[in-house]
Amino acid sequence: MSVTEAPPRRRSSRPSRRSASSSTFLQGKAITPGMALGPAGRVEELPLPDITERYSAIGPEAENVRLDEAIARAFHQIEKMRDRLVGLPEEGRAEIASLLTVYERMLGPSRLVRQVRERIAGEGLCAEAAVSDVTEELAAQVSRMAEAVARENSAQDADANLRLAGEFEEVGRRLMRNLTGISYRAFSSLPPGSVLVAEQLRPADVAMIDPARIAAVVTQGGGGADHTAILLRALDIPAILAVPNLMAQVQEGEMLVVDGHLGTVTLSPNDTELRLAAEAAQREVREKRAFGRLKRLPAQLQSGEDIELAANLELPAEMPMLLRNGAKGIGLLRSEFLFGEREDLPDEDGQTDAYRAIVQAMDGRPVTIRVLDWGGEKGRACMRRLGLAEQVADGGNPALGLRGVRLLLRVPDVLETQFAAILRAAEPEAGVAIGPVRILLPMVTSADEIVAAREIYDRVVRRLRRKGHTLPDPLPPLGIMIETPAAALTVDTLARHADFMALGTNDLTMYTLAVDRSDSMVADRYSPLHPGVLRLIEAAADSALKARRPISVCGEMASDPRVVALLIGLGLRSFSMNSASLPRVKRLIRTLTLEGCDQLRRQVMLESDPAVIQDLVRQFAT
Ligand code: PEP
Ligand code: MG
């Protein structure tokens, strides 16, 4: 939610090249914010040849040798991509590295390779036909799963499955190119400062881009949640995907202005448009530098009170941005990323390594790890894939079913493994403490859930100690998400069992207003500034203060500077937000006084209409 951002100036879903006075613009999906300008560098790909002869003329043994060679070449190509990672900005490295690991896994002794060999041996296919058939089938299988999941309204899972389908296709294409000798397109020939224009850009292509030479990326295909988009964001390259009819409209070398905030591409801009775009791009460079200075300054109100600003982390690739933007800790590590896009549950060692890497990178700043929050709109396809199908609601309303801690208590071994991994990640190193680490339980509605989770936690602690692990002393505190009206209204009693609280205002808004957060039909009714939500937040903050339990806000509300001012007025002092928003929140906080925030609260709490509240907040401190 944002009450401060201006609505997009122009929007068009039509595949248009439209004349607006003297220039023309196209509309696509804004992926990475940022202004850029430069000549168009079109990158096209030689098509793969059709397979005219599906059956092998040389026999299965020789086909397997060809397949082995193609696989070996693919490993070598991936190795070369890995070597290039050192030259990339830190932001993109982890994200690309993990993608390359997925490709390597698929090229290893995987289902994909096994099935290709079976087709070669059993059906007498040539290697190309077997690779093409198997990768198409696997991709279609997971795409079908994505469609089923999307029908169930779980956009996050549908996206994960679509990414997996894309990975199968990419590995298939790579093997086909290696088998047929059709080379890949080269990005290195683009003149420096070009805007890369392509029909499709695959994640592996992004790994080959040099962000220092490319001003922006614009593509005809793609979407907001695919790997390509994630990587472009991680590399901070201004980018727009899904521009209808792009390739038919952009000429090689034509000047382009790319507005990654609005998702618009201006073709052959006039002088005024060029000047304005250049000024905006320079302003952004200056703003980024100013944010760099802001990083060293405390998040403190003019009236002297310290405010804690931490970041939410969804993917390890966000770590560098989180550190660059001066987060004082991770207030919410959504551990779901470890569980998606795989065929089994991550084991204790694997999870330990992943958490420990993050804890170490935070270098003494607190890390709050939320245990798996599946159920509701999250994780439904993954739950099926990992054999938890019986836990998925059969009919009924998944948002009100087995979700968060409720689900974990039904599959205690999953929770045990995660507790153990988090505890081990927080183990002192050569007697020196690392961390601090905190553990967060999602979707708690009553005390018995905390008691049951704590019993499991204590059992895991005893097991690890018996095995000789030196656990941190004191142990990582066990906190709870306040995401339901029931929890918000009973913070006083929950506080007897929970060490700290985090207000998850995304779900709190959904459950308070009975408005599904992912249903576009009711998106206009989803308002965290509804007085009902605000009163619950105020009640929760008051009770936590009385019970002397730390409380923070980690929902999207905390990403909006003026809403944070209101939340300070409501008694909150600790916030965790997406790291991109952190500098703007800090910049405003440093101009505010507690009295000013309290005055805003007094005004707001008299109102009953969310739209009026929204206006009051938007006008505050402008
Ligand atoms: C929330 O509900 O506000 C929250 C932070 O959790 P998530 O968005 O991951 O459900
Ligand atoms: Mg939530």
Side-chain angles (χ1 to χ4, degrees):
M1 188 213 63
S2 170
V3 294
T4 53
E5 276 167 26
R9 280 180 285 132
R10 325 178 263 207
R11 221 177 255 289
S12 159
S13 56
R14 265 172 288 141
S16 60
R17 176 180 176 132
R18 215 182 72 190
S19 275
S21 60
S22 59
S23 59
T24 300
F25 75 88
L26 308 175
Q27 176 77 55
K29 197 166 179 46
I31 300 297
T32 318
M35 288 294 289
L37 53 163
R42 289 173 60 110
V43 179
E44 274 150 292
E45 188 169 49
L46 288 175
L48 283 165
D50 288 339
I51 304 168
T52 46
E53 190 43 77
R54 288 175 51 77
Y55 295 96
S56 174
I58 54 177
E61 224 165 275
E63 292 294 349
N64 269 320
V65 172
R66 291 181 64 229
L67 179 67
D68 286 340
E69 282 167 5
I71 291 175
R73 217 167 304 143
F75 271 114
H76 183 63
Q77 288 156 347
I78 292 170
E79 205 43 56
K80 275 198 348 214
M81 288 190 208
R82 250 187 225 292
D83 292 345
R84 288 190 70 258
L85 291 183
V86 262
L88 291 181
E90 248 179 289
E91 286 77 354
R93 263 186 239 162
E95 188 63 29
I96 294 176
S98 64
L99 179 68
L100 297 182
T101 307
V102 172
Y103 294 155
E104 282 169 340
R105 221 184 289 144
M106 287 182 174
L107 288 162
S110 63
R111 176 159 54 134
L112 186 157
V113 173
R114 204 174 51 243
Q115 288 185 11
V116 170
R117 291 198 198 283
E118 280 165 12
R119 297 284 170 94
I120 291 174
E123 297 173 27
L125 294 184
C126 66
E128 288 88 335
V131 166
S132 161
D133 285 4
V134 170
T135 49
E136 265 174 35
E137 280 165 24
L138 288 173
Q141 226 172 318
V142 271
S143 297
R144 275 196 302 277
M145 267 167 84
E147 278 166 29
V149 173
R151 276 199 300 277
E152 286 173 8
N153 224 347
S154 174
Q156 215 178 9
D157 288 348
D159 291 342
N161 277 304
L162 286 176
R163 284 198 289 270
L164 189 59
E167 283 151 9
F168 279 128
E169 283 164 359
E170 171 60 26
V171 169
R173 254 188 314 262
R174 184 162 293 279
L175 289 176
M176 292 288 282
R177 284 192 184 274
N178 291 346
L179 283 163
T180 55
I182 306 279
S183 64
Y184 273 83
R185 51 190 165 182
F187 296 101
S188 50
S189 56
L190 288 177
S194 300
V195 173
L196 192 159
V197 175
E199 181 155 3
Q200 270 289 353
L201 200 66
R202 285 185 287 276
D205 297 328
V206 183
M208 298 307 287
I209 290 177
D210 179 354
R213 289 172 62 93
I214 300 292
V217 167
V218 186
T219 71
Q220 186 163 314
D226 62 16
H227 258 313
T228 302
I230 292 172
L231 293 177
L232 289 167
R233 276 190 214 110
L235 293 175
D236 203 18
I237 302 175
I240 301 173
L241 305 188
V243 180
N245 238 355
L246 175 74
M247 299 310 279
Q249 306 189 72
V250 177
Q251 321 286 324
E252 176 69 23
E254 179 176 12
M255 197 62 183
L256 302 179
V257 166
V258 176
D259 185 335
H261 304 276
L262 298 179
T264 57
V265 187
T266 310
L267 312 185
S268 300
N270 61 32
D271 288 350
T272 314
E273 285 166 325
L274 263 183
R275 181 175 49 78
L276 289 176
E279 283 170 9
Q282 277 160 12
R283 247 194 330 273
E284 284 181 1
V285 171
R286 282 198 300 275
E287 191 174 48
K288 274 190 186 157
R289 267 195 227 120
F291 283 168
R293 285 194 295 278
L294 198 60
K295 177 183 167 179
R296 289 182 286 279
L297 300 173
Q300 198 175 52
L301 300 179
Q302 283 279 312
S303 44
E305 295 79 5
D306 285 321
I307 304 295
E308 205 174 274
L309 297 186
N312 296 346
L313 190 91
E314 214 147 329
L315 291 171
E318 297 165 50
M319 276 300 285
M321 190 203 280
L322 182 153
L323 295 170
R324 198 176 53 221
N325 286 350
K328 284 288 172 258
I330 297 177
L332 170 65
L333 195 166
R334 292 180 165 105
S335 61
E336 290 80 46
F337 76 89
L338 276 173
F339 292 77
E341 293 177 54
R342 45 181 302 142
E343 296 183 22
D344 50 3
L345 283 164
D347 64 11
E348 187 179 308
D349 288 346
Q351 287 193 56
T352 304
D353 292 347
Y355 302 136
R356 199 167 176 88
I358 293 171
V359 173
Q360 278 167 336
M362 288 306 287
D363 199 17
R365 280 161 288 206
V367 177
T368 307
I369 304 175
R370 183 176 71 186
V371 288
L372 188 61
D373 184 20
W374 272 356
E377 85 287 1
K378 300 182 203 165
R380 291 168 66 73
C382 303
M383 282 163 71
R384 287 210 179 87
R385 214 169 48 232
L386 301 181
L388 301 175
E390 70 273 21
Q391 316 294 354
V392 179
D394 206 4
N397 182 342
L400 305 180
L402 275 184
R403 196 194 147 172
V405 75
R406 299 176 193 173
L407 172 69
L408 291 172
L409 292 174
R410 290 286 182 103
V411 284
D413 45 335
V414 175
L415 184 58
E416 276 190 30
T417 307
Q418 202 169 8
F419 276 153
I422 297 172
L423 282 161
R424 284 177 52 197
E427 262 186 77
E429 214 162 37
V432 180
I434 72 163
V437 170
R438 312 193 307 167
I439 304 178
L440 197 48
L441 301 172
M443 273 297 294
V444 168
T445 44
S446 54
D448 62 309
E449 292 162 334
I450 316 171
V451 173
R454 201 178 276 284
E455 270 169 25
I456 295 174
Y457 186 51
D458 292 343
R459 194 159 70 225
V460 173
V461 167
R462 286 196 297 276
R463 168 166 70 79
L464 290 178
R465 285 201 173 123
R466 266 199 313 276
K467 282 172 129 183
H469 289 277
T470 330
L471 300 182
D473 183 17
L475 287 167
L478 195 59
I480 56 170
M481 295 284 293
I482 304 289
E483 302 179 278
T484 59
L489 291 170
T490 55
V491 162
D492 54 341
T493 50
L494 299 181
R496 289 186 210 133
H497 308 277
D499 299 322
F500 66 97
M501 329 260 170
L503 275 159
T505 53
N506 306 336
D507 279 317
L508 184 62
T509 304
M510 169 165 95
Y511 290 116
T512 306
L513 304 180
V515 172
D516 190 328
R517 61 193 266 193
S518 55
D519 185 345
S520 56
M521 299 299 283
V522 285
D524 60 332
R525 307 217 55 86
Y526 181 90
S527 171
L529 294 178
H530 188 290
V533 181
L534 296 179
R535 285 177 204 190
L536 285 171
I537 293 174
E538 189 173 38
D542 277 354
S543 303
L545 187 70
K546 286 195 190 109
R548 295 174 193 277
R549 289 284 180 273
I551 187 164
S552 60
V553 178
C554 62
E556 279 303 297
M557 271 181 112
S559 302
D560 191 304
R562 290 186 170 78
V563 174
V564 170
L566 172 62
L567 292 169
I568 292 173
L570 288 169
L572 290 144
R573 299 289 180 270
S574 172
F575 304 92
S576 188
M577 63 205 70
N578 70 61
S579 44
S581 305
L582 215 142
R584 281 188 188 86
V585 171
K586 192 196 256 187
R587 187 171 59 186
L588 185 72
I589 278 181
R590 291 177 50 81
T591 68
L592 302 175
T593 62
L594 194 56
E595 173 51 28
C597 297
D598 193 49
Q599 214 170 335
L600 174 65
R601 175 193 65 85
R602 282 200 298 269
Q603 268 181 305
V604 161
M605 296 312 261
L606 290 175
E607 299 296 337
S608 56
D609 183 346
V612 174
I613 296 178
Q614 173 114 348
D615 281 344
L616 280 172
V617 172
R618 189 183 283 142
Q619 286 153 18
F620 177 71
T622 44

